[in-house]
Amino acid sequence: MRATSPDGPAPGHTPLPALSVPPDKVADMGQVVVIGAGMGAMAAAARLAVAGHRVAVYERTETYGGAVRRFERDGFGFDTGPGLLTLPAVYRDLFLKTGKEPLESVVELVQVDPSSRHVFADDSEVSLPNASRAGVVTALDEALGQGAGARWGDFLVRAREAWDRTRRPLLEEPLWPDWSVLAEREPYPSVPHKKLLRTRRAGTLAEVGAWELRDDRLTALLESHALAYGLDPRVTPASASVLPYMEHAFGTWYVRGGIRELARAVYDRCVARRVEFHFGAEVTGVLEKDGRAAGVELSDGAVAEADFVVAGVAPAVLDRAVQRPTVRAEGAVPAGRTAASRLTVLLALRGARPEGAAHRTVVHARDRATELERLFGADPGAATGLTVTVLRPDDPALVPDAGHEAITLTAAVPAHSAQDRAEDMITVAERALPGLRDRILWREVRTPADITEATGAEGGAVPAPALAAGDGALLHPANDTAVPGLFTVGGWSHPGGGLPHAGMSGALVAGLIVEGPEFRGSQ
């Protein structure tokens, strides 16, 4: 075991849950063992340390951050996990609550503008300004024709209503014991649609696109937010409208130096709060005593005792460690749909980044049906069935000099996929970046197997954010478990995947441990 990371030792909206320690609980502060050093796990560790607990983190790999990693070669640097941040208020809250220090004092946040450029199947394109409804409406009207902007703007108004109805139960509160209310009730206020003398309302994202947006390009814009998480828009509930709304309302942000710098800052904050880190330390068992979690056993036979255990690992990893079901019977949400993974291609390019190039470009598939079959059917499909996201940050820290550029391509792929689609992805990206292939010095490919290595998730699966409706298929298990004293944190537990959700899971778990089961989140 090592107590330092190879990356080096420590060098928007409503308020989120604060931790207050009731006087009668001060004496209960004790030892907490955290399994894994992902973003949610570190967020919980920092909050618990500030609340007075002694916290030790045991991480199987040699570094922190979970999926938030960096690849470096020949002076180039790349994020190999998330490349952009939405809802930065989650991490602002974390740094204020764990040290009364602004997030901006430890990382440089840059608002990305335009928020995104989209190249559609017919090669029409649009650049959408960041966090400006009027600007987006104007841009869509000019690019796609009069009326397109108004339809998207009206959709965002309805999406805001869905956000307002679900924000607290899906982000700021522990999962309700009667979670089935969230599963059954569709929060998105669909527009009535008449067809063959029947009035229907959109219940899926695909129906919102077909009945309310009424433009294949707007539908592609909407569905791309689901496809990025490997969600099939044909069955994903309309409540997923909150995904594009979050970007619109709270903006899209880049962390100078890459999102890995955010992971570094959270790690540093944990170290400053005297959280102990042990790297290369694989937890193989969760110990129980008197019917509750009492510590962990490591692969080398060592034992770390604890009053509480927080597991920030994939479900299969935790199941092997506990050797019995951990989900509370009354909190057992449905198993959900099979998660997808991501294929990432890192490109080191000769030639400077063009002035004014968009930070993020989404190149939509030529053929929607082929793409859906590739992801959710039996046929892996061809290049026409790929939506590729191109990230090209304007960041001198990521290139050896001004005469080079670092670009990242990502696409959703089925979990367990071993197919190398890098050439297809480059072909798709060239629709937005002509001549891209001629500029490539070298490339690196990150497959689902690499995600498994970093996170332990079977097949390299990437968890989606929790969403309401859909019979609960996109909810995640509660953070407290059937084993008293054992809690789960991170993307595979409530409130699901994504950087903001990971940060919130840390706040919820810390609240449940410090304040007990009566903790209800922010007030």
Side-chain angles (χ1 to χ4, degrees), residues 341-398:
S341 187
R342 292 190 186 120
L343 187 66
T344 302
V345 182
L346 315 176
L347 299 177
L349 305 182
R350 62 175 63 87
R353 180 182 187 272
E355 187 72 25
H359 187 120
R360 174 176 58 172
T361 298
V362 181
V363 188
H364 296 269
R366 291 284 194 195
D367 186 328
R368 175 180 182 268
T370 300
E371 172 158 54
L372 298 181
E373 180 66 18
R374 176 186 67 83
L375 264 175
F376 311 112
D379 185 352
T384 56
L386 277 171
T387 290
V388 174
T389 298
V390 182
L391 296 181
R392 50 192 321 192
D394 183 10
D395 191 342
L398 303 183

Side-chain angles (χ1 to χ4, degrees), residues 88-340:
V90 172
Y91 289 93
R92 290 189 178 115
D93 181 79
L94 172 65
F95 279 84
L96 288 173
K97 298 289 173 56
T98 60
K100 298 182 179 179
E101 185 178 18
L103 173 63
E104 285 81 355
S105 69
V106 292
V107 296
E108 183 182 352
L109 280 179
V110 181
Q111 195 165 22
V112 175
D113 204 3
S115 174
S116 57
R117 172 191 175 209
H118 292 263
V119 178
F120 298 107
D122 62 357
D123 289 327
S124 61
E125 62 177 80
V126 65
S127 291
L128 302 179
N130 203 338
S132 168
R133 181 176 180 274
V136 166
V137 167
T138 299
L140 288 172
D141 276 343
E142 292 177 351
L144 307 185
Q146 195 66 30
R151 290 196 299 278
W152 184 260
D154 290 344
F155 158 75
L156 287 176
V157 172
R158 294 189 293 275
R160 176 179 179 173
E161 189 168 339
W163 167 260
D164 289 340
R165 291 174 176 175
T166 61
R167 173 179 55 84
R168 282 187 58 82
L170 287 183
L171 275 181
E172 298 179 4
E173 298 177 346
L175 186 67
W176 293 349
D178 58 342
W179 58 266
S180 60
V181 175
L182 293 171
E184 298 164 358
R185 184 180 301 166
E186 173 56 71
Y188 178 78
S190 303
V191 176
H193 169 75
K194 284 189 177 181
K195 184 176 182 181
L196 299 178
L197 302 180
R198 294 181 58 191
T199 299
R200 300 185 60 188
R201 292 180 180 271
T204 67
L205 217 56
E207 290 172 343
V208 171
W211 300 348
E212 299 180 9
L213 298 178
R214 304 189 306 280
D215 184 305
D216 289 344
R217 296 162 297 183
L218 292 180
T219 297
L221 174 59
L222 170 63
E223 292 183 350
S224 65
H225 291 83
L227 291 171
Y229 286 102
L231 298 176
D232 186 346
R234 299 169 299 184
V235 295
T236 299
S239 66
S241 61
V242 300
L243 300 178
Y245 175 76
M246 283 174 61
E247 284 196 8
H248 163 76
F250 308 111
T252 304
W253 301 79
Y254 174 68
V255 178
R256 187 71 67 188
I259 292 293
R260 178 65 177 177
E261 284 299 292
L262 178 63
R264 187 269 311 160
V266 177
Y267 169 75
D268 287 352
R269 173 52 49 89
C270 287
V271 171
R273 297 299 168 261
R274 301 186 178 177
V275 174
E276 296 179 6
F277 282 84
H278 304 272
F279 294 97
E282 183 177 7
V283 171
T284 55
V286 173
L287 306 177
E288 296 183 47
K289 182 178 180 181
D290 299 328
R292 63 175 288 117
V296 298
E297 183 175 3
L298 305 174
S299 59
D300 63 2
V303 168
E305 297 182 350
D307 300 288
F308 300 95
V309 175
V310 175
V313 294
V317 177
L318 182 59
D319 288 347
R320 289 194 296 269
V322 179
Q323 298 184 341
R324 69 184 178 96
T326 58
V327 176
R328 291 187 292 108
E330 67 274 20
V333 300
R337 302 185 179 96
T338 302

Side-chain angles (χ1 to χ4, degrees), residues 454-466:
T455 69
E458 186 177 353
V462 177

